[in-house]
Amino acid sequence: VQLQASGGGLAQAGGSLRLSCAASARTFRWYYMGWFRQAPGKEREFVAAINLSADTTYYADSVKDRFTISRDNAKNTVYVQMNSLKPEDTAVHYCAADSYWATTASEYRYWGQGTQVTVSS
């Protein structure tokens, strides 16, 4: 499956952005999806994950209650709505896919190209 992330940009602290990740596969509904991010000089870190039917989600503590992951299987797209943005959210954000539930980067086989999110204070 090929993934294309979009929606990044510049936001002020307290603002919002919505990232999208479009998948090429018509079998998108069979992939568990995740979002990760990587700041300069840091390791890639988990942000959020969602299961096949979107009734189970999981978040990193750092984004809980601020970010919401969702998916639209009819559109082959996963989203992350990011509210109350903080400067520490500045990073390249990546979407990822695999055929089982996972919350670590090493467990995902398929990755999008990343989209830059920059939050100014």
Side-chain angles (χ1 to χ4, degrees):
V1 59
Q2 293 184 324
L3 304 173
Q4 180 75 34
S6 61
L10 177 64
Q12 291 188 336
S16 299
L17 285 173
R18 188 176 82 153
L19 305 184
S20 300
C21 176
S24 62
R26 287 179 290 178
T27 55
F28 173 77
R29 63 174 58 87
W30 301 116
Y31 286 94
Y32 294 80
M33 301 298 297
W35 284 97
F36 290 77
R37 65 188 183 187
Q38 188 167 18
K42 295 187 177 181
E43 293 187 353
R44 192 167 298 190
E45 66 173 3
F46 170 76
V47 173
I50 190 166
N51 72 342
L52 303 180
S53 57
D55 58 3
T56 298
T57 57
Y58 184 71
Y59 298 92
D61 287 344
S62 58
V63 306
K64 198 174 296 182
D65 299 325
R66 299 190 299 121
F67 289 13
T68 302
I69 189 171
S70 62
R71 66 189 295 162
D72 185 338
N73 287 341
K75 295 182 178 180
N76 291 355
T77 303
V78 63
Y79 306 95
V80 61
Q81 176 67 44
M82 306 185 296
N83 298 330
S84 302
L85 283 163
K86 303 176 180 180
E88 50 263 45
D89 294 320
T90 295
V92 178
H93 285 65
Y94 298 88
C95 57
D98 216 307
S99 53
Y100 51 86
W101 178 260
T103 58
T104 63
S106 61
E107 295 178 283
Y108 281 91
R109 288 177 290 171
Y110 307 108
W111 290 86
Q113 86 288 2
T115 184
Q116 176 70 46
V117 171
T118 303
V119 183
S120 62
S121 57

